[in-house]
Amino acid sequence: MTTVVRTIADLRATLAAARLEGREVGFVPTMGYLHEGHRSLMREAAAHNDTTVVSIFVNPLQFAPTEDLDRYPRDLERDVQMASDEGVSHVFAPSQQEMYPERIVTTVNVAGVSEPLEGASRPSHFAGVATVVTKLFAIVGPCRAYFGEKDFQQLAVIRRLVFDLSMPIDIVACPTIREPDGLAMSSRNVNLTADARRAAPVLLRALQAGKHAIEGGERDAMQVRRAMRAVVESEPLVDLDYAEVVDESTFVIPTPLTGTLRPLIAARLPHARLIDNIGAQV
Ligand code: AMP
């Protein structure tokens, strides 16, 4: 039986009792409108923990005023059903008032990995993410927390946050789940027009072109960017934000390209901004 918990106090009381019984707590933070990507995280968490918590909270701190906070899709009833199907013990669905009863004046900032790419395009985004994740970790007190590689830079930011602040939490990375045509699953995909949805798999094709170039011996990041950009340009509906290749843990571009690399891409389509990435090894 999955319970829906609305307040911090109720969740703390429930989890304190579970921990007293020696139960290990696994945690999956989300913004809801769950899909197969989230399902894979919940399944992994439920398989390796005695008590599993999924949070559903569309965090206003991580949206800029011009972004899609108001258009972000929501369906709590469906989300709870999916969480229940995957063996989740508690869905934590707090209101904005519960999470931020006053204007929050404490911000968690992770320098370095949060600065390029998504950090450059969305300047306050990762501070919003790091702040809410720190708050959620303080509320839930998990042994393990599960994040998708789909948001690869976010994963690097969280890893660094946990390392720097000595949080006793294992961060578990889960692979990106895709639609049959290669589009990475995302709650935002429902906001794509029919034409944009048809064009969207070009992101994965561009990443594959970048990976192919690297694995074929290309060591110049500019040439890899060029290869990715050429693929995206074949789809007029897709407006490229960035196509880049970085070291997967530092987010620095190695010169020449070497080590465990991550081609990453972001683009605007009607009417969603999408991101994706894949692994590439030299
Ligand atoms: P969100 O609800 O979009 O904030 O995502 C919550 C968690 O689910 C994050 O750790 C995401 O990286 C992860 N996630 C989102 N989409 C996918 C996907 N297609 N495959 C795997 N994990 C995902």
Side-chain angles (χ1 to χ4, degrees):
M1 238 316 260
T2 305
T3 63
V4 179
V5 184
R6 294 287 191 170
T7 69
I8 295 169
D10 282 354
L11 188 67
R12 282 220 170 98
T14 304
L15 296 179
R19 272 187 296 264
L20 262 183
E21 291 170 8
R23 298 169 76 89
E24 296 191 341
V25 177
F27 178 41
V28 182
T30 82
M31 298 204 297
Y33 209 73
L34 304 180
H35 51 66
E36 292 298 318
H38 299 111
R39 204 192 271 278
S40 72
L41 271 59
M42 296 192 286
R43 192 175 305 147
E44 189 68 12
H48 297 281
N49 297 274
D50 307 302
T51 296
T52 305
V53 180
V54 171
S55 63
I56 295 179
F57 180 62
V58 182
N59 172 39
L61 293 186
Q62 69 194 66
F63 289 79
T66 53
E67 291 179 353
D68 56 352
L69 176 62
D70 295 337
R71 284 188 299 123
Y72 202 85
R74 292 166 167 87
D75 188 342
L76 184 62
E77 203 178 315
R78 192 168 136 269
D79 289 350
V80 172
Q81 184 58 52
M82 201 182 288
S84 166
D85 292 345
E86 295 305 334
V88 167
S89 326
H90 310 290
V91 170
F92 179 49
S95 64
Q96 275 202 39
Q97 173 67 22
E98 178 68 10
M99 285 293 275
Y100 304 124
E102 293 186 17
R103 190 174 72 84
I104 190 163
V105 295
T106 305
T107 303
V108 180
N109 245 307
V110 181
V113 289
S114 74
E115 288 166 16
L117 306 177
E118 284 301 284
S121 290
R122 307 181 68 191
S124 58
H125 173 66
F126 284 126
V129 170
T131 303
V132 79
V133 168
T134 300
K135 186 171 169 100
L136 289 167
F137 282 175
I139 293 166
V140 174
C143 300
R144 298 179 195 87
Y146 296 78
F147 290 86
E149 289 187 344
K150 156 76 173 33
D151 299 278
F152 202 80
Q153 195 173 2
Q154 168 175 283
L155 174 63
V157 168
I158 302 296
R159 282 196 191 287
R160 187 66 205 217
L161 162 73
V162 164
F163 173 79
D164 278 356
L165 301 186
S166 303
M167 293 181 178
I169 303 169
D170 271 354
I171 302 301
V172 182
C174 301
T176 301
I177 305 297
R178 299 179 178 280
E179 300 285 359
D181 64 4
L183 175 63
M185 292 200 179
S186 164
S187 307
R188 288 187 164 98
N189 291 350
V190 301
N191 289 338
L192 294 170
T193 63
D195 286 346
R197 173 63 191 84
R198 278 190 286 276
V202 78
L203 296 191
L204 178 62
R205 293 203 304 277
L207 290 166
Q208 284 165 335
K211 177 185 171 81
H212 189 75
I214 294 163
E215 295 182 349
E218 183 56 64
R219 293 291 169 268
D220 179 352
M222 195 165 73
Q223 296 303 332
V224 175
R225 283 198 290 272
R226 192 169 288 171
M228 292 195 279
R229 213 178 300 136
V231 176
V232 174
E233 278 165 6
S234 69
E235 277 293 353
L237 271 183
V238 180
D239 175 19
L240 186 65
D241 184 347
Y242 60 77
E244 190 53 276
V245 54
V246 299
D247 177 274
E248 72 162 13
S249 39
T250 60
F251 269 73
V252 168
I253 307 165
T255 318
L257 291 175
T258 181
T260 308
L261 301 168
R262 209 82 196 177
L264 300 114
I265 201 162
R268 282 172 296 269
L269 291 83
H271 297 287
R273 180 176 179 279
L274 303 182
I275 59 173
D276 200 354
N277 66 86
I278 56 173
Q281 183 77 43
V282 167

